[in-house]
Amino acid sequence: SPEATAGLVERRLGGPVAPLFALACHRTTSGNPLLLRQLLRGLEADAVRPDAAHADVVVAVGSRAVSSMVLMRLRRLPGSTAEVARSAAVLGDGAALPVVAALAGLSEPETAGGLAALARCEIVKDEQPMAFVHPLVRDAVYRDLPAAERALRHERAAALLRSAGATDEQ
């Protein structure tokens, strides 16, 4: 909750916390405890004061802190799992397992296993259709792909979706 987030921010950063700063922390992490801890580590490391004047710093620090955590976790996973994460990031939340598998170049059982591993380390939710635990997490995986590779994957994803009968919007 916003109140619990404010309490954690106050305990971690010390002193009174401006309501606007606490709200920025809650909005940036959606109250997710894992993401909030990462955000607070980053804010603490950068010696950011929890006042209203620094509320705009929260998103930038949060994005950087979450990105480093996500990429570190991905590097610890088998290669095919990271490939599942990258393909899922290109397709976005709601992607169907067969399309993620096709884009990753893996079988559906391998892809399902990769998604299960990603759920265990809190990168995606353990549900279908597939969804990342937070937009910052998806963005970290997505932005780790070089721009040229992202473009090629988007082109391939569009072809896969078209052949699967997806709508033009998808």
Side-chain angles (χ1 to χ4, degrees):
S1 70
E3 297 77 22
T5 298
L8 288 171
V9 172
E10 185 172 340
R11 279 194 295 281
R12 182 68 185 249
L13 300 182
V17 176
L20 185 61
F21 189 90
L23 184 60
C25 291
H26 187 264
R27 284 187 178 155
T28 299
T29 63
S30 299
N32 179 303
L34 174 68
L35 301 180
L36 182 58
R37 280 194 305 273
Q38 284 302 116
L39 169 63
L40 293 175
R41 280 188 195 123
L43 292 169
E44 187 175 45
D46 289 355
V48 176
R49 290 191 324 266
D51 55 27
H54 291 94
D56 61 337
V57 175
V58 170
V59 174
V61 170
S63 180
R64 187 180 71 238
V66 168
S67 180
S68 66
M69 176 207 58
V70 169
L71 297 178
M72 180 183 67
R73 287 181 176 197
L74 271 181
R75 285 184 192 101
R76 292 179 180 164
L77 296 170
S80 62
T81 302
E83 190 58 35
V84 170
R86 290 181 195 105
S87 295
V90 168
L91 290 163
D93 289 351
L97 176 68
V99 180
V100 175
L103 186 58
L106 300 168
S107 70
E108 288 183 27
E110 287 174 304
T111 302
L115 288 171
L118 292 168
R120 283 191 297 277
C121 65
E122 299 181 69
I123 292 175
V124 300
K125 296 176 184 177
D126 188 20
E127 59 187 47
Q128 284 296 314
M130 186 283 313
F132 284 84
V133 295
H134 193 277
L136 284 177
V137 173
R138 177 194 174 264
D139 193 55
V141 176
Y142 184 79
R143 296 281 171 218
D144 191 49
L145 287 166
E149 188 176 339
R150 276 195 312 262
L152 289 172
R153 285 178 187 248
H154 275 289
E155 187 177 316
R156 194 159 159 244
L160 288 168
L161 290 167
R162 193 175 308 111
S163 70
T167 65
D168 288 342
E169 184 177 297
Q170 290 174 307

